[in-house]
Amino acid sequence: MRAFAGIGKRAHPRQMQDTGAMPDSSKSRSGAGEPAGEVNPGDIVTSRAPLETPDRRPKRNSETQQQQPEQPPRTLPGSKWSEWVFSGALAAIFLVFGMAILMDKEGREQPRSLASTPLFIGELHPNISDVIEKAPEDGALEITLVQAAPMYPADVVVGFASDALVVLRRMREFFPQVENRIVRFVVKAPLHPTDTDSSGMAPLLSIEFERSEVLAEVMAPEFTYQDLLNETVAVRYLNDLSGSRYLGAFCRDPLSRSATDFCEREVRD
């Protein structure tokens, strides 16, 4: 019985210091080779549960993939390309729409800029290059209109007549005091349709109108440049070759379908 008398007694700390002995704490750990939860004599028992040893085994791929956060889908290269295509198409639509505004029902380009309140006849249209208020030979009001190198030969007469119609309409609005009996329009254009040099331009032909009669008609909305050509009282060829070439090209074009009276009178065989 004496051999077991010390069992269950805890050594006094002072005695531990004197002897240098320390309690064997390795016995209290679950990994010391003894069954977990068993209390041996001399072990210090606490209320804290033994810590679990973390599982250091590598995790399977499926578990790793589940724990990874979902990444947002990458933007496909085609999405940028589609944005560029859409922007380009939108710009083309606006360009076509803008051009349509500048074109009338016959496909003629309207004047780019007109003075809101012209102070003299030369400001009635930006293509006016010269104005003679009273021509020496007949006292006509003579207005020269410049036409740039045309895309098609018929465009010279189309542009010339269209500009003349704008001038007459604005003349009636801003200069009703004009008293000349005849209004003459002279077209200045390249001698050949392929000439792009402005130095190669020359007066080619002129058309004349009775001022009082033509001004009474030009304000009608349905009055077109073809109708204006039908109202001419005289046509003069200032350059026989180029003038007749441009006029003949116009009368052969479908745009002249409403100017048959003019073409029947003026086209030379």
Side-chain angles (χ1 to χ4, degrees), residues 26-42:
S26 63
K27 293 181 180 180
S28 63
R29 298 178 183 173
S30 61
E34 296 183 3
E38 183 179 350
V39 180
N40 296 318

Side-chain angles (χ1 to χ4, degrees), residues 4-26:
F4 299 97
I7 298 175
K9 294 183 179 180
R10 183 178 179 183
H12 195 275
R14 195 176 200 82
Q15 294 175 357
M16 293 181 189
Q17 291 177 0
D18 295 340
T19 60
M22 295 297 290
D24 188 5
S25 61
S26 63

Side-chain angles (χ1 to χ4, degrees), residues 58-68:
K59 296 182 179 181
R60 292 178 296 177
N61 293 339
S62 59
E63 296 178 356
T64 306
Q65 292 176 358
Q66 291 177 358
Q67 293 181 359
Q68 290 180 351

Side-chain angles (χ1 to χ4, degrees), residues 124 166-178 212-220:
L124 289 174
V166 174
V167 171
L168 289 171
R169 284 174 171 169
R170 288 168 62 81
M171 182 188 297
R172 177 175 173 175
E173 180 180 0
F174 295 104
F175 299 98
Q177 71 275 14
V178 172
S212 59
E213 294 182 5
V214 73
L215 290 182
E217 299 182 20
V218 294
M219 300 308 290

Side-chain angles (χ1 to χ4, degrees), residues 132-143 179-186 206-211 233-236 238:
I132 301 176
E133 294 185 358
K134 188 170 288 189
E137 64 272 17
D138 56 3
L141 171 63
E142 186 172 293
I143 301 172
E179 296 181 353
N180 305 67
R181 186 181 66 86
I182 298 294
V183 178
R184 180 185 301 121
F185 290 96
V186 178
S206 67
I207 53 178
E208 299 178 5
F209 304 94
E210 288 281 352
R211 178 191 56 82
V233 295
V235 176
R236 299 183 184 181
L238 307 177

Side-chain angles (χ1 to χ4, degrees), residues 185-228:
F185 290 96
V186 178
V187 58
K188 188 177 182 180
L191 292 173
H192 194 274
T194 58
D195 293 339
T196 57
D197 188 1
S198 59
S199 62
M201 290 188 175
L204 302 182
L205 59 87
S206 67
I207 53 178
E208 299 178 5
F209 304 94
E210 288 281 352
R211 178 191 56 82
S212 59
E213 294 182 5
V214 73
L215 290 182
E217 299 182 20
V218 294
M219 300 308 290
E222 66 277 6
F223 193 84
T224 66
Y225 74 90
Q226 293 99 329
D227 297 325
L228 180 64

